[in-house]
Amino acid sequence: EVQVVESGGDLVQPGGSLRLSCATSGFTFSNYWIYWVRQAPGEGLQWVATIKEDGSETYYVDSVRGRFAISRDDAQNSVHLQMNSLTAEDTAVYYCTTRRALSTSYFDYWGQGTLVTVSS
Amino acid sequence: DIQMTQSPSSLSASVGDRVTITCRASQDIRNNLGWYQQKPGKAPKRLISAAFSLASGVPSRFSGSGSGTQFTLTISSLQPEDFATYYCLHHNSYPLTFGGGTKVEIK
């Protein structure tokens, strides 16, 4: 059974940092690109970051580039999102999702999400 | 950046109705588009990939069409479990962008 489980969401003050984790099982992790997608309260979906299956490429939405860093740990079948210099606009549920390499089927597996709240 | 314009933003429909949702891309994205369903408090679920390929386990009443800049998600006969919010996503290039969403409500 495929499992994708996010963790690390919390209440943090503006300017603070947080590290999200995405633990996976049930599929061959090293064959998958991993994505973070977020959803602000009452709003739509926004793609945030991507890491290639071998970690050689990363991509970010402009609003987080230079503040967020995505990384992967193939030994632990997990991905992390280091978030620095957080602002209220980063408040959202953060989802981890996947795509098998070379596939055109994006976001097949999803986690349940982890809530990040940036507030003083 | 490619913008995705989704319409309508909401609609009211009855069980058994045919429902059509449209996404327009600001430039040619070939067939690099997916459709997702999201219910309140839940993660999105993939319905359609590559514009028209139905994901495994998704009922055949869902279908996708289009290429280039104009895409459509059709629900041929709306069922009670289909009341949800639907999003399109282009993955032609970075940044990936979602449409604004269409909330399908019970009439």
Side-chain angles (χ1 to χ4, degrees), chain A residues 12-15 40-41 67 85-92 116-119:
Chain A
V12 61
Q13 291 191 340
R67 300 188 299 122
S85 303
L86 287 162
T87 73
E89 287 67 44
D90 297 314
T91 294
V116 172
T117 304
V118 184
S119 174

Side-chain angles (χ1 to χ4, degrees), chain A residues 15-102:
Chain A
S17 298
L18 211 54
R19 186 182 191 231
L20 304 184
S21 296
C22 171
T24 74
S25 62
F27 60 95
T28 305
F29 182 74
S30 59
N31 290 346
Y32 279 74
W33 293 53
I34 305 296
Y35 302 75
W36 287 95
V37 171
R38 68 184 179 184
Q39 186 168 37
E43 301 296 322
L45 301 170
Q46 182 186 38
W47 164 76
V48 174
T50 298
I51 188 163
K52 193 178 177 182
E53 78 269 24
D54 61 4
S56 63
E57 298 175 25
T58 58
Y59 302 88
Y60 301 93
V61 68
D62 282 350
S63 59
V64 310
R65 188 176 293 113
R67 300 188 299 122
F68 289 14
I70 188 172
S71 61
R72 63 190 295 151
D73 180 348
D74 281 17
Q76 297 293 324
N77 290 346
S78 63
V79 167
H80 305 288
L81 186 68
Q82 178 67 42
M83 305 188 298
N84 300 325
S85 303
L86 287 162
T87 73
E89 287 67 44
D90 297 314
T91 294
V93 173
Y94 285 72
Y95 294 103
C96 178
T97 183
T98 69
R99 176 178 69 91
R100 186 168 52 84
L102 303 179

Side-chain angles (χ1 to χ4, degrees), chain B:
Chain B
D1 296 359
I2 297 172
Q3 309 304 318
M4 301 302 297
T5 303
Q6 187 171 340
S7 61
S9 57
S10 66
L11 65 90
S12 294
S14 301
V15 172
D17 284 354
R18 182 181 182 89
V19 168
T20 299
I21 298 168
T22 297
C23 261
R24 186 179 74 250
S26 59
Q27 58 186 269
D28 186 350
I29 60 168
R30 296 174 291 175
N31 68 338
N32 293 316
L33 182 115
W35 289 98
Y36 301 83
Q37 176 194 67
Q38 187 180 33
K39 296 182 178 179
K42 300 294 187 182
K45 171 189 173 183
R46 182 168 58 93
L47 298 176
I48 302 269
S49 57
F52 59 84
S53 295
L54 204 63
S56 175
V58 174
S60 59
R61 62 181 179 272
F62 290 92
S63 64
S65 63
S67 68
T69 61
Q70 197 84 6
F71 301 86
T72 298
L73 173 70
T74 300
I75 310 172
S76 61
S77 177
L78 199 65
Q79 297 302 301
E81 60 268 30
D82 301 337
F83 291 96
T85 301
Y86 295 83
Y87 295 92
C88 63
L89 165 77
H90 98 78
H91 51 82
N92 188 71
S93 58
Y94 285 98
L96 312 182
T97 52
F98 289 90
T102 296
K103 186 173 184 179
V104 177
E105 298 175 303
I106 302 172
K107 182 182 284 185

